[in-house]
Structures are given as structure tokens and as C-alpha cells.
Amino acid sequence: MLSLRGLYERLGARYLLLFGAFEVVSAVVVCWATVGMFSLYVEMSFDEFWQITVFAEATVLVAIGWVIARSARLARPVIDWLQAGKPEDGALEAWRCGVALPRQVVEDTSWQPFVIVAAPNAVFLSLHLDLPVYSGLIVFAGVLIAVAYAALLHFFASEQFLKPVVSDMAERLPPDFAGSRAGVPLRWKMLAALPLINVVTGVVVSGLSTDGTASLEDLGLDVAVALLVSFTLSFELTLLVAKSVLGPVDDLLEATERVKRGSLDARVPLTSADEVGELAGSFNEMMQGLAEREALREAFGSYVDPEVAERVLEEGELIEAQEREVTVLFVDIRDFTSFAERSSPSQTVAFLTDFFELVVPIVKRRGGHANKFLGDGVLAVFGAPERLSDHAARAVRAAAEIVEAVEDRFGDDLRVGVGINSGSVVLGSVGGGGRLEFTVVGDPVNVAARVEAATRDTGDAVLLTEATRGRLPDPDAVVEPRGEVPLKGKSEPVPVYALSVPLDESTIPQTGHIKAEA
């Protein structure tokens, strides 16, 4: 037997016609059953029974036609979305309409069925059976209960029929959409449904338990007693059931709100051992996992650049290798070996930590990535992992800031050398034996390190190659030639350039926001 989901997938936009057919059939059945209930309390012949049934069914069909027409108008966004082929750009509007539709239909058609069905049938049945005038009020009350039951049946059935449609829409919603409360709260569903079911059950059972001598006055008494019991003794039990179910749900919603505000220590108290309690336990397990993941992210981000950490967590441990044009900056402390020899290990580590805490933020602020800590040096990359069109200018700006910051922080106690080179490198995960590292590989990296070493010979704080100079917006305004210097691993000397002095804001290339390459 096909499920509602299967019927929806098979019928497509015609699926809603199936719900319309269900509405008609269920209304006809409820009407027939209601007339049958009246026959338990009012003596009527076979012909009178069917005459009353035909009249009642006619009024019901008019009412249900009105409801279907109004429902079709309210469901227009859903219908249009289905007929348009389920586009993603209209899924959000259709979803909002779908989840709110059961409530909106009941609100929009709340009084019409009572007027179209209850009043005419009360008058017709009283006149047709030649009943006292006051009997019309009793019949009217009984029909009201039947109409209310039909409305409740329509509401819950529409929720179930729309569920596969709404689920289909939900798959096409924006990833950042968190939903909205457009339906009827669960508390009101229970408080409305349970008492009404008790009234209907009480009236039917009372009628079936008679010996055929019950009168219409008995029906009025049964309705009154059923209402009294439902909204006193039974209503108290309904409240207790609602609290039993909704209490843990409220705790779950409260904890969810705390999570949305950024609290990962939110937990739900386990107050029951049923399905709701199991849900609360699953929520707590999920939050424990999220807290551990966030702790891992923070710890991971302390050892790896946060952007790289995010990519690893999103893409997996292996970042696919790719070729990229970047600018490599290598900064190294001069004469660090002699400092380390005369300092204790703790002093050395503290000094390096202080130095790196000064350098790394400058690199990050200019859009660079601190790729490696090499003893007393830092290898930084501009243009990876995020593409930058102005990576060379960013690297030069960062180099100037690093030199100035070191002078301001350490004075004459510390000098650094900075080498900059640009070119095409391969970046990605490299390693083996269970250990991986995100790195950049290529000749430009080696040349940057060699250029930094050349600063000791030229006496400059910053040297850059022709490859970097050629990528600057106005190179002649910010650099001056230092001739060609031999570099280890290069067969020919390499032209290098130093930053102009003084290093002020008017001469250093300015960079704005990160700009991706086309």
C-alpha cells in the first residue's frame, strides 16, 4: 500500500486533489454518522432517516465546497510552486504557506460551516419530525459538536497530507533558514482535541447503551453531561497529559534557544524515560559532541591557521593539491643563535612566543596565512588558502609593518630580516605515516628564504625579488634596487630590491578588503 509520500511522488501537483477527495468523503461519513446518532434519540422511519440524511449531506457538501474553495485560495503559493516544477527560489514562500495552511484554513472558515450546516439542519429536523421548538436548540448543539469534530479532523488530516509536500520544500530551503512558528502550538492541539473527543465519545456511548427508549431530551442531557465531564474531570487529566508531554519539550526548546545564543553547555534535564526522555538524552549527546568538536576546533586553530582548520573540518583531512600564484614572505630573527646560547630554554620559548604574537596578527590582518614556524622564523603566504588579487602589495605592506612593530617593541635588542618573492606554487596536504600538513611547495618558497638570508649582506631589513616588484601597483615609488645577488640553488644572480626609506604610509602600497582573483 502506498504511503502519503509515495502518493505525492507519483501524483505531483495532482496530490492536493487527493486531499480534496478525502475532505469530501470524510465530511459525508461524519454527516451520516451524526444523523445515525440522532436516530438513537429521536424516533424516525426509514424514509424519514434518509430524507434527513439527504438534506444534511446537501448542506455538508455546500459547506465543504466553501471550505475547499477558500483552502485553494490560501494554498495558492503551494499550488503555484508545485505547478512550476518545484523551483528553489520559491520554496521558502511555499514552505511558509504549507506549514501555516491548516491553521489558516480553520481560522478563515471558522464560522461558515456552523451557519451552513448547524442552523439549517436544526430547523429542518425539528420541522420534518414535528418536534417541539426547544428541540431545535438541542439538535443545534448536537450538530455543533459534529461540525467541530469534522473541523478537528480536517485540521489534523491536512497536517498529515501536507507533510510530504512540506518535507519536499524543506529540502530546497536556504541552508541558514532556521524555521518559524506558523502553526498551532502543540499545547493547544491537545487542549482542543482531547476534550472534544471525550464529548463525542460520551454522547455516542450514551446513545448506543440505551434500550431504544431515549428521547431528544436525553440527548440534550447527554451533551450537557459530556461537556461538563470533559471540561472538569477529564480536562484536569488533559492538562496533566499536556504537562507530561510538553514539559520536557519546553525544556528542549529552552535549551535550543541557549544554543542559538552560543552556549554549548546547554543540557536538557532527563525527567522521563519515554520517547521524549530519549529525545532529551539524544540532544545532550549531540551537545556533548558539539562541545568536543568546538574544543577541537579551538585547539586545532591554535596549531594551524584558523582558515586551514575550517577547510580541514569541512573537506576532510586531505586538502586536494592545487597550483596557485602567491607571494611568500619569510621573516627571521637575526643573531638568534647567540641569544639562545646565553638564555635558558624557558626564556627562549617566552621570547619566541612574544615575537610570534607580534608578527602573526600583522600577517593575518593583511590577509596572509602563517604557514610555518621554522625555529626563530615565520613562513607566511599571501594568496592561499584564499585567493587574493593583490597578494604582492599585501605582503610588502605586512613586511613594513613587521619591521616597524619589532623596532617599537624590542628597540635595538632585536633585528629581523624579511625576504619576499612571488610565483606559482603547489599548495595542499603533504605528509605520510598518519601525519599531514597544509603547506606550499615550490621554487618561490626557497627563493624567499634565500632572499631573507641576503638581507644580512645588504644590510636591509626587507628585500624583495623582481617577481614581487613587478606585481606592485607603483613599484618605483616604494622600492630601490640593490643589484643582483647570488642565491644558493640559483645558477644566475637574482635582482633584489629594498623598501624605500622612510617606511611611511605615503610610500607603502595600500591594500583594502580581500579581493578574490577572477
Side-chain angles (χ1 to χ4, degrees):
M1 182 177 178
L2 284 177
S3 63
L4 291 179
R5 180 74 185 188
L7 290 171
Y8 167 66
E9 293 175 352
R10 173 172 293 187
L11 297 175
R14 295 174 296 167
Y15 172 77
L16 296 181
L17 297 176
L18 183 65
F19 176 61
F22 171 81
E23 286 285 275
V24 174
V25 172
S26 62
V28 168
V29 171
V30 171
C31 177
W32 177 80
T34 303
V35 176
M37 181 190 70
F38 277 114
S39 69
L40 299 175
Y41 292 91
V42 181
E43 184 177 352
M44 63 181 71
S45 66
F46 182 81
D47 290 339
E48 288 174 331
F49 173 83
W50 284 111
Q51 289 168 0
I52 294 172
T53 300
V54 170
F55 181 85
E57 295 289 9
T59 59
V60 165
L61 290 176
V62 172
I64 199 65
W66 170 271
V67 171
I68 291 177
R70 301 292 289 178
S71 300
R73 182 182 64 82
L74 294 172
R76 179 50 55 186
V78 175
I79 298 172
D80 291 343
W81 182 78
L82 290 172
Q83 293 177 342
K86 307 176 183 179
E88 289 192 5
D89 56 352
L92 182 56
E93 180 185 2
W95 181 89
R96 286 191 171 122
C97 175
V99 296
L101 189 60
R103 175 184 60 81
Q104 288 180 339
V105 170
V106 172
E107 291 177 351
D108 193 67
T109 61
S110 57
W111 59 270
Q112 293 92 342
F114 292 93
V115 174
I116 297 172
V117 178
N121 278 279
V123 173
F124 178 80
L125 193 146
S126 298
L127 294 176
H128 193 65
L129 297 180
D130 194 22
L131 299 174
V133 175
Y134 68 86
S135 299
L137 296 177
I138 298 176
V139 174
F140 183 76
V143 176
L144 284 183
I145 294 176
V147 174
Y149 175 81
L152 197 64
L153 179 64
H154 161 84
F155 174 82
F156 285 106
S158 61
E159 280 195 331
Q160 293 304 310
F161 267 92
L162 286 169
K163 187 174 182 179
V165 185
V166 173
S167 297
D168 196 13
M169 297 170 181
E171 296 176 359
R172 294 165 172 80
L173 294 178
D176 57 345
F177 180 65
S180 60
R181 293 188 182 183
V184 178
L186 182 58
R187 177 176 282 101
W188 290 110
K189 291 180 183 180
M190 298 183 67
L191 294 180
L194 294 180
L196 183 58
I197 292 173
N198 289 334
V199 172
V200 174
T201 303
V203 173
V204 172
V205 170
S206 179
L208 293 175
S209 63
T210 63
D211 57 1
T213 61
S215 65
L216 198 59
E217 289 78 3
D218 293 326
L219 172 61
L221 180 61
D222 291 342
V223 170
V225 171
L227 287 171
L228 181 63
V229 172
S230 294
F231 287 96
T232 54
L233 301 178
S234 179
F235 191 69
E236 181 182 358
L237 181 60
T238 300
L239 289 176
L240 292 175
V241 173
K243 289 182 179 180
S244 175
V245 175
L246 297 178
V249 173
D250 290 338
D251 292 338
L252 186 60
L253 289 174
E254 181 182 352
T256 302
E257 288 297 324
R258 291 174 56 193
V259 175
K260 289 167 65 176
R261 294 193 297 268
S263 175
L264 294 182
D265 60 350
R267 297 295 184 272
V268 180
L270 301 178
T271 57
S272 64
D274 53 15
E275 291 84 352
V276 179
E278 184 177 355
L279 177 62
S282 298
F283 177 87
N284 292 341
E285 290 180 1
M286 179 188 69
M287 291 309 305
Q288 181 65 27
L290 287 176
E292 292 175 355
R293 178 184 174 90
E294 186 61 25
L296 176 61
R297 186 193 301 271
E298 293 179 357
F300 194 23
S302 300
Y303 288 89
V304 182
D305 186 277
E307 291 185 10
V308 177
E310 289 292 334
R311 290 192 59 178
V312 171
L313 291 173
E314 292 176 2
E315 303 177 16
E317 62 182 19
L318 185 63
I319 300 178
E320 184 177 355
Q322 54 183 289
E323 189 172 348
R324 182 82 58 83
E325 184 179 282
V326 301
T327 294
V328 180
L329 179 151
F330 190 83
V331 56
D332 191 59
I333 301 176
R334 292 179 179 173
D335 303 323
F336 181 75
T337 302
S338 59
F339 169 82
E341 289 178 349
R342 63 177 183 270
S343 304
S344 66
S346 60
Q347 289 176 325
T348 302
V349 171
F351 180 81
L352 286 176
T353 300
D354 191 22
F355 173 70
F356 292 144
E357 286 182 348
L358 179 67
V359 172
V360 173
I362 296 175
V363 171
K364 293 178 63 177
R365 187 165 60 248
R366 289 296 167 182
H369 156 58
N371 184 255
K372 286 186 181 70
F373 296 107
L374 303 172
D376 59 333
V378 179
L379 173 64
V381 182
F382 294 79
E386 184 168 1
R387 294 180 182 272
L388 299 171
S389 60
D390 54 349
H391 50 83
R394 288 176 176 274
V396 171
R397 175 68 255 179
E401 289 189 17
I402 289 172
V403 172
E404 293 176 352
V406 168
E407 290 180 354
D408 292 341
R409 173 75 65 84
F410 299 101
D412 295 334
D413 296 333
L414 179 65
R415 288 289 182 268
V416 295
V418 182
I420 307 174
N421 184 40
S422 302
S424 182
V425 299
V426 176
L427 58 96
S429 299
V430 177
R435 298 292 299 277
L436 294 173
E437 180 182 45
F438 177 81
T439 188
V440 291
V441 179
D443 186 63
V445 180
N446 299 328
V447 171
R450 302 290 185 262
V451 170
E452 184 281 320
T455 60
R456 293 167 173 78
D457 300 327
T458 64
D460 296 293
V462 180
L463 287 179
L464 54 143
T465 63
E466 177 63 34
T468 300
R469 176 188 173 277
R471 290 173 170 83
L472 298 178
D474 187 11
D476 294 333
V478 296
V479 300
E480 54 187 33
R482 286 292 186 264
E484 297 182 343
V485 297
L487 298 180
K488 184 178 180 181
K490 291 292 183 180
S491 58
E492 298 293 336
V494 175
V496 295
Y497 302 83
L499 291 183
S500 300
V501 179
L503 301 176
D504 56 41
E505 293 291 335
S506 64
T507 57
I508 297 300
Q510 298 301 302
T511 60
H513 297 291
I514 292 177
K515 180 181 177 183
E517 292 179 337

